Amino acid sequence: MRNVPLPRLAIPRLPRVEGGFPDPGAWERAASLELRRAQDGGAALDPTRVRVLDDGRRLFVRFDCVDTDVWATHTERDAPLWEEEVVEIFLAGGGSVPVRYFELEVNPLGTLFDAVVDNPDGRRATMRVDTTWNAPGLIARIARDVPGAWSAEIALPWAACFEAPPPSILRANFFRVERPRGRPAEFTCWSPTLADPPDFHRPEYFGILVREPADGEPEDS
């Protein structure tokens, strides 16, 4: 069991974003975190910065990845992106340990994976993953304009996962799988799951996201 406090992140509220993604200035003001080694919380060899925003309609997440050898081959939605290089979001409403959560992934080619995970025992052996679910309105944008790096922006409508109003408290984790050719793979996350071999499907380790309620929105507990 985890014996250190769960990480907690307050998500800044933006004015309504028109178009696909926030502008660069908004990202500079976003809540920010760094991914750590999943197995032990150590510093990553290939750092990843994650930023999070919310405009009341959509959750926006941006991954900025240091990567001197960017690669991926999967181009079909819901392919096993985790077998290659990928960034991932696991998300559930409420503050308790989730037994059901959403899994969203994008690779350096912009290929999406989305699924609903039922994990009542908190164990990979008994969990069920429904890949037939496609998040309505989910989009991603990839940039590879900086040498030795790539970035992924993800926009998820709250309505794709939750009834209105969206929860003010969520459980979540952010992940990256980096598979450099010539050295071992690196598995990093916001809230280390402390499993070796690495295992991201440990919902008791998910961190806490706090949304800023808009006027008239009730606050969750």
Side-chain angles (χ1 to χ4, degrees), residues 3 41 65 74 97 109 113 122 128 144 153 156 162 178 194 213-214:
N3 57 9
C65 307
H74 290 303
V97 175
L109 300 177
F113 174 97
R128 299 180 301 278
R144 296 178 59 178
E153 293 173 274
L156 172 70
F162 307 107
E178 164 62 7
L194 306 180

Side-chain angles (χ1 to χ4, degrees), residues 124-142:
R124 181 179 291 271
T126 55
M127 74 180 188
R128 299 180 301 278
V129 181
D130 179 9
T131 58
T132 65
W133 176 77
N134 285 343
L138 173 67
I139 57 174
R141 180 169 67 181
I142 301 299

Side-chain angles (χ1 to χ4, degrees), residues 168-180:
S168 296
I169 304 287
L170 302 109
R171 295 293 294 271
N173 217 343
F174 304 99
F175 305 100
R176 178 184 172 192
V177 180
E178 164 62 7
R179 298 187 186 274

Side-chain angles (χ1 to χ4, degrees), residues 137-208:
L138 173 67
I139 57 174
R141 180 169 67 181
I142 301 299
R144 296 178 59 178
D145 50 355
V146 176
W150 66 285
S151 68
E153 293 173 274
I154 298 168
L156 172 70
W158 290 114
C161 301
F162 307 107
E163 295 183 359
S168 296
I169 304 287
L170 302 109
R171 295 293 294 271
N173 217 343
F174 304 99
F175 305 100
R176 178 184 172 192
V177 180
E178 164 62 7
R179 298 187 186 274
R181 288 171 282 201
R183 61 181 172 87
E186 182 172 63
F187 300 83
T188 54
C189 53
W190 174 40
S191 181
T193 54
L194 306 180
D196 198 3
D199 184 0
F200 292 165
H201 287 276
R202 304 189 76 188
E204 71 271 25
Y205 290 85
F206 290 8
I208 298 170

Side-chain angles (χ1 to χ4, degrees), residues 86-155:
V86 71
V87 293
E88 308 181 9
I89 304 166
F90 288 11
L91 185 69
S96 60
V97 175
V99 298
R100 184 176 186 269
Y101 48 91
F102 301 95
E103 179 175 354
L104 311 167
E105 305 182 12
V106 63
N107 73 4
L109 300 177
T111 307
L112 290 169
F113 174 97
D114 45 3
V116 179
V117 181
D118 287 297
N119 194 356
D121 304 318
R123 296 188 301 114
R124 181 179 291 271
T126 55
M127 74 180 188
R128 299 180 301 278
V129 181
D130 179 9
T131 58
T132 65
W133 176 77
N134 285 343
L138 173 67
I139 57 174
R141 180 169 67 181
I142 301 299
R144 296 178 59 178
D145 50 355
V146 176
W150 66 285
S151 68
E153 293 173 274
I154 298 168

Side-chain angles (χ1 to χ4, degrees), residues 13 35 37 51 74 76 82 111 120 137 149 165-166 184 191 194 207 209:
R13 177 65 69 93
L35 302 191
R37 276 172 44 94
R51 287 175 279 182
H74 290 303
E76 183 177 347
W82 58 89
T111 307
S191 181
L194 306 180
L209 297 179

Side-chain angles (χ1 to χ4, degrees), residues 14 21-30 51 53 62:
L14 287 174
F21 299 95
D23 62 38
W27 282 123
E28 289 305 315
R29 298 187 296 273
R51 287 175 279 182
L53 290 167
R62 174 172 173 155

